[in-house]
Amino acid sequence: MSWDTQYERVHAHLRNRIVSGALQPGDQVPGERAYAAMLGVSRETVRQGFRLAEDEGFIVRIPARGTFVAERRIRQDLGRMQAFDLTVRGVNLAPTYEVVSVGKVRADAVEAGALGVTPGDPLLAVEAIGMGDRRPLAHYRSMIPTSVAARLPFAPDWRTAASYQLIARALELTAMSVRQRWEVRPIPADIAAMLQVEDGAPAFRSTSVFTDGTGAPLESRVAWYPGSRYEFTITRTIDLVD
């Protein structure tokens, strides 16, 4: 058995224990000496296998404390829009939405520009937390024009799906588009408390405007995704110039 195969074996063994749930986020991983004895390999081989697992985000090594299972991250490709519930099920978590508030607000200048209404016009505001296995993962605040809200069923159950999904169903849409802007920002204190992360921790902030097949605005939404719980990738085409 080659040295490369040996450390890949260590990596695969550790990764499988984490993915299967035998080791949970926050659990301490056996030390290099114990792991070496368990698998019959050298400590250097274990060290290399651990390094690979750390590079992939499965573990974190803390000096003078040991090696621990990292928080499970949601991995998502930005090249395709996928609903929160599908994404969370993809990592074997049970998705739910916890509604924080639903009510009418007045559109500010930014919201009015995004939704094609006049500043001060009434909007329906929906604030919710996306949960995975009852653990808060993402924060959403959606603004919906009253012309769209009026076409929704009476008292929609916002706990069952994303707001744009409920809108699409109610309006029987066959096409929907979204324009998004992504930024990395410190998470605000009130949202950090709801997501159970440290105030000011780095997070992905997305601003989205959903439109129907004709380009008419249906919803604007600001979402927060803690950096410790999400990893985003994107696949792009390359323009080659002679």
Side-chain angles (χ1 to χ4, degrees):
M1 183 179 290
S2 71
W3 185 83
D4 283 353
T5 302
Q6 293 258 19
Y7 86 73
E8 289 168 357
R9 175 183 164 214
V10 172
H11 164 259
H13 184 275
L14 178 56
R15 182 183 185 280
N16 289 340
R17 294 194 69 196
I18 294 172
V19 172
S20 69
L23 288 173
Q24 295 289 322
D27 284 353
Q28 186 164 10
V29 177
E32 292 177 2
R33 187 186 302 276
Y35 229 96
M38 180 169 56
L39 296 184
V41 298
S42 70
R43 290 185 65 182
E44 178 59 27
T45 298
V46 170
R47 190 172 297 118
Q48 293 294 323
F50 278 17
R51 186 173 300 147
L52 185 57
E54 185 178 27
D55 290 344
E56 292 184 346
F58 284 102
I59 61 173
V60 291
R61 292 192 282 184
I62 304 174
R65 288 188 56 195
T67 302
F68 298 85
V69 179
E71 283 196 72
R72 188 180 304 176
R73 286 190 177 185
I74 309 297
R75 291 174 166 85
Q76 191 170 0
D77 189 339
L78 293 180
R80 180 182 181 186
M81 183 77 175
Q82 186 177 57
F84 173 82
D85 56 344
L86 294 177
T87 300
V88 171
R89 287 194 187 99
V91 292
N92 299 316
L93 299 177
T96 55
Y97 289 92
E98 181 179 295
V99 179
V100 178
S101 63
V102 179
K104 290 185 178 181
V105 299
R106 297 288 177 178
D108 62 23
V110 174
E111 294 159 351
L115 295 172
V117 299
T118 302
D121 280 357
L123 301 173
L124 177 64
V126 181
E127 185 177 9
I129 304 293
M131 313 283 287
D133 281 357
R134 301 181 181 179
R135 179 166 167 255
L137 296 175
H139 177 274
Y140 302 102
R141 182 169 172 81
S142 298
M143 299 294 174
I144 304 170
T146 53
S147 59
V148 175
R151 300 175 63 185
L152 296 176
F154 178 74
D157 190 349
W158 304 103
R159 300 169 301 174
T160 60
S163 49
Y164 71 85
Q165 290 174 296
L166 296 176
I167 291 172
R169 293 170 191 168
L171 275 58
E172 299 182 344
L173 297 177
T174 59
M176 178 180 273
S177 298
V178 62
R179 184 178 71 254
Q180 295 185 307
R181 184 177 73 250
W182 289 83
E183 306 166 280
V184 175
R185 290 192 177 186
I187 197 163
D190 57 336
I191 296 175
M194 286 186 275
L195 294 179
Q196 299 174 15
V197 298
E198 185 179 351
D199 177 15
F204 300 97
R205 181 183 188 267
S206 73
T207 304
S208 306
V209 178
F210 298 87
T211 57
D212 65 14
T214 69
L218 302 170
E219 173 189 342
S220 68
R221 186 183 76 178
V222 174
W224 290 89
Y225 305 94
S228 60
R229 296 176 187 170
Y230 278 84
E231 178 180 307
F232 294 103
T233 60
I234 186 168
T235 302
R236 305 173 67 187
T237 58
I238 301 174
D239 293 330
L240 298 177
V241 180
D242 292 336

